Amino acid sequence: MKDDFINSLAELLTDSDGKLLYDIKPLYAISRLITLEANEIYISKGDLGKRLAFIEKGVMRAYTHKENADEVTLFLRWEGQFIASHDTILHHRPSRFIYRALEPSILMEIDYDQLEGMLKLYPDLEPLRNFFLMRMLSETLQVMESFVLQSPEERYRELVTERAQLVNRVADKYIASMLGITPVSLSRIRKRMHQKGRS
């Protein structure tokens, strides 16, 4: 499984000519396999651990509770994506969100403090820090921009286009929450899409 993680990471760090940009073998030594059951929490609210993980299998959800006790989904992550608490890694503060597996999941985890220690021993790998941080920032900005530039229906259409199978793996209430709408509104969007598809 570690080989799968390293191979997946190698694909992400390969340039357009197929050349691996960095020697990532030292990452092998500090990565570890994490298995989660469906509904198991990976990162708790208030957690200070600097965990950075690559999702080999499964779907993860980051969410929090509003003052009225309603749950609000920050994002969903699935196979081939990274998951980490932005609070702990970027801001050095306790996580404000809960990160939970929605189905049995397999993660390859690196402790970010260990990564920083490794970079001192292998300074040539310093660009990896930027890679991980830029990936996290890019995914966060993509979510923010979608709320500014797209309607809920456009965001849902994009999700279906990019990851159709995910829609069948995640409860409607979580998808609706991530889109910033109610399950009823999501149902209406699907109905409109279905009607347009038939016309």
Side-chain angles (χ1 to χ4, degrees):
M1 196 60 68
K2 271 196 175 186
D3 289 334
D4 292 340
F5 166 64
I6 295 299
N7 290 337
S8 298
L9 193 57
E11 288 179 17
L12 293 171
L13 299 176
T14 299
D15 65 15
S16 58
D17 295 325
K19 178 183 177 184
L20 186 62
L21 300 175
Y22 315 106
D23 178 9
I24 57 175
K25 291 178 184 175
L27 287 176
Y28 193 92
I30 63 170
S31 62
R32 67 186 188 123
L33 181 71
I34 303 290
T35 58
L36 300 170
E37 298 296 328
N39 255 346
E40 187 174 346
I41 291 177
Y42 175 55
I43 299 174
S44 301
K45 186 174 182 178
D47 196 331
L48 282 166
K50 295 183 178 180
R51 302 174 185 176
L52 173 66
F54 180 81
I55 303 173
E56 282 282 346
K57 178 180 180 293
V59 179
M60 304 291 296
R61 173 183 175 235
Y63 67 98
T64 191
H65 294 95
K66 297 172 72 174
E67 290 183 6
N68 63 2
D70 286 346
E71 289 184 358
V72 181
T73 299
L74 176 66
F75 59 70
L76 300 171
R77 293 285 183 268
W78 49 85
E79 290 90 354
Q81 294 185 314
F82 288 95
I83 188 165
S85 169
H86 301 75
D87 288 326
T88 57
I89 291 179
L90 298 179
H91 304 296
H92 310 288
R93 65 188 181 197
S95 176
R96 293 170 296 167
F97 299 91
I98 301 164
Y99 298 73
R100 185 188 297 269
L102 293 182
E103 61 186 35
S105 301
I106 300 173
L107 313 178
M108 287 307 303
E109 178 188 84
I110 294 174
D111 182 286
Y112 196 75
D113 286 334
Q114 285 187 319
L115 175 64
E116 291 192 317
M118 187 199 73
L119 295 179
K120 292 177 181 177
L121 296 175
Y122 301 93
D124 289 346
L125 290 177
E126 181 63 33
L128 279 175
R129 185 205 312 270
N130 292 335
F131 171 81
F132 288 128
L133 293 178
M134 291 301 292
R135 190 75 180 246
M136 290 170 61
L137 286 172
S138 174
E139 290 173 349
T140 301
L141 284 172
Q142 187 176 6
V143 171
M144 291 174 56
E145 289 172 357
S146 72
F147 271 84
V148 174
L149 300 174
Q150 297 176 305
S151 68
E153 183 167 340
E154 288 172 331
R155 291 197 296 276
Y156 181 69
R157 284 180 180 276
E158 187 174 274
L159 178 64
V160 171
T161 300
E162 294 179 356
R163 197 71 180 188
Q165 291 182 347
L166 183 71
V167 175
N168 298 323
R169 295 164 63 186
V170 177
D172 287 353
K173 62 181 180 179
Y174 299 147
I175 293 176
S177 177
M178 184 182 70
L179 296 173
I181 59 177
T182 66
V184 172
S185 296
L186 176 59
S187 179
R188 289 174 181 154
I189 287 173
R190 284 177 169 163
K191 186 176 180 180
R192 284 197 300 272
M193 289 173 60
H194 181 67
Q195 289 172 342
K196 288 178 182 177
R198 290 189 304 177
S199 59

